[in-house]
Amino acid sequence: GAVVSQHPSWVICKSGTSVKIECRSLDFQATTMFWYRQFPKQSLMLMATSNEGSKATYEQGVEKDKFLINHASLTLSTLTVTSAHPEDSSFYICSAMRFGLAGGQRGETQYFGPGTRLLVL
Amino acid sequence: EDKVVQSPLSLVVHEGDTVTLNCSYEVTNFRSLLWYKQEKKAPTFLFMLTSSGIEKKSGRLSSILDKKELFSILNITATQTGDSAVYLCAVQYEKLTFGTGTRLTIIP
């Protein structure tokens, strides 16, 4: 099946520093990738849609200057949390959209990365 | 406003029981509905549903979509402790919107 990786898996940083998270589709090309964040015991919240070669589309309430997204190639999207603060501590998950067969039907399917846990001290 | 609602929010049953999880939605330009299982990390894909009335089945799990009434159900029969997880429903249109999830706990 399709594989999406994220790096790093875990990151602990001091308040005020910037953190970059990478999302890679390992065996397929993804023109569209999504970034989510998830707080404990809550559902995934879409932060932004990342399109290769163009600017990301941010959801309402997500600061684009705070969460910089770059989708420089068909297999890589990065999320940079700038000047991170403790309230940015969360579980960040990316997904990549692949068109093909899934569950016996043709369509677009989201394949998720394993997530990156960020703790800002 | 587009929305995806799952019920119940939480469910605790004994091993061997059958459970039914619900997902209703209101979106424009519906394309597909997906079910995921989330344990400790990122969700894992279960089913993608695009057509009404066609049951998807995988082992003890099955799911069906009703595009007229705008809902889907996920059934798990003969539940096992390994089925304990959060089950997420997501609807795909221009983007993907998730429901709040149903937390399922199976008691041995």
Side-chain angles (χ1 to χ4, degrees), chain A residues 38 43 59 103 105 108 113, chain B residues 31 38 42 50 56 95-96 99:
Chain A
Q38 184 175 37
S43 187
E59 295 301 299
Q105 286 188 317
E108 290 171 319
Chain B
R31 281 149 72 171
Q38 184 176 25
T50 55
K56 292 287 185 78
K95 54 186 180 182
L96 190 69

Side-chain angles (χ1 to χ4, degrees), chain A residues 2-31:
Chain A
V3 178
V4 175
S5 71
Q6 273 184 250
H7 176 81
S9 300
W10 258 103
V11 58
I12 301 173
C13 67
K14 288 185 178 180
S15 187
T17 59
S18 293
V19 176
K20 181 187 279 190
I21 303 170
E22 293 185 349
C23 176
R24 292 180 186 273
S25 55
L26 298 183
D27 55 356
F28 66 99
Q29 293 182 331
T31 53

Side-chain angles (χ1 to χ4, degrees), chain B residues 32-97:
Chain B
S32 61
L33 185 145
L34 302 100
W35 283 97
Y36 294 90
K37 177 182 182 182
Q38 184 176 25
E39 295 171 272
K40 292 183 179 176
K41 284 199 168 180
T44 53
F45 172 80
L46 295 176
F47 299 110
M48 181 175 78
L49 304 160
T50 55
S51 303
S52 266
I54 299 174
E55 185 183 53
K56 292 287 185 78
K57 201 168 171 62
S58 176
R60 296 176 294 103
L61 277 66
S62 64
S63 183
I64 197 161
L65 173 68
D66 186 328
K67 289 168 75 173
K68 184 179 176 186
E69 300 297 329
L70 308 182
F71 77 92
S72 173
I73 60 172
L74 174 69
N75 275 319
I76 309 175
T77 59
T79 52
Q80 302 170 359
T81 54
D83 296 326
S84 295
V86 173
Y87 289 83
L88 294 167
C89 159
V91 175
Q92 195 158 320
Y93 41 119
E94 290 87 14
K95 54 186 180 182
L96 190 69
T97 295

Side-chain angles (χ1 to χ4, degrees), chain A residues 29-42:
Chain A
Q29 293 182 331
T31 53
T32 304
M33 291 184 174
F34 299 89
W35 286 97
Y36 300 85
R37 78 188 278 188
Q38 184 175 37
F39 293 104
K41 298 186 179 180
Q42 292 188 33

Side-chain angles (χ1 to χ4, degrees), chain A:
Chain A
V3 178
V4 175
S5 71
Q6 273 184 250
H7 176 81
S9 300
W10 258 103
V11 58
I12 301 173
C13 67
K14 288 185 178 180
S15 187
T17 59
S18 293
V19 176
K20 181 187 279 190
I21 303 170
E22 293 185 349
C23 176
R24 292 180 186 273
S25 55
L26 298 183
D27 55 356
F28 66 99
Q29 293 182 331
T31 53
T32 304
M33 291 184 174
F34 299 89
W35 286 97
Y36 300 85
R37 78 188 278 188
Q38 184 175 37
F39 293 104
K41 298 186 179 180
Q42 292 188 33
S43 187
L44 295 174
M45 300 295 295
L46 180 65
M47 297 175 67
T49 302
S50 170
N51 297 296
E52 187 268 337
S54 64
K55 289 184 179 179
T57 305
Y58 289 81
E59 295 301 299
Q60 195 171 9
V62 178
E63 301 173 58
K64 56 185 176 185
D65 295 330
K66 170 84 174 169
F67 299 99
L68 300 177
I69 291 172
N70 184 10
H71 195 154
S73 78
L74 287 171
T75 59
L76 174 64
S77 176
T78 60
L79 168 69
T80 301
V81 183
T82 61
S83 187
H85 287 94
E87 58 265 29
D88 299 323
S89 298
S90 190
F91 189 49
Y92 292 87
I93 304 174
C94 76
S95 70
M97 185 181 286
R98 181 184 190 184
F99 183 82
L101 272 176
Q105 286 188 317
R106 284 211 167 271
E108 290 171 319
T109 304
Q110 304 282 319
Y111 292 93
F112 287 88
T116 296
R117 197 164 296 280
L118 170 64
L119 177 61
V120 185
L121 303 176

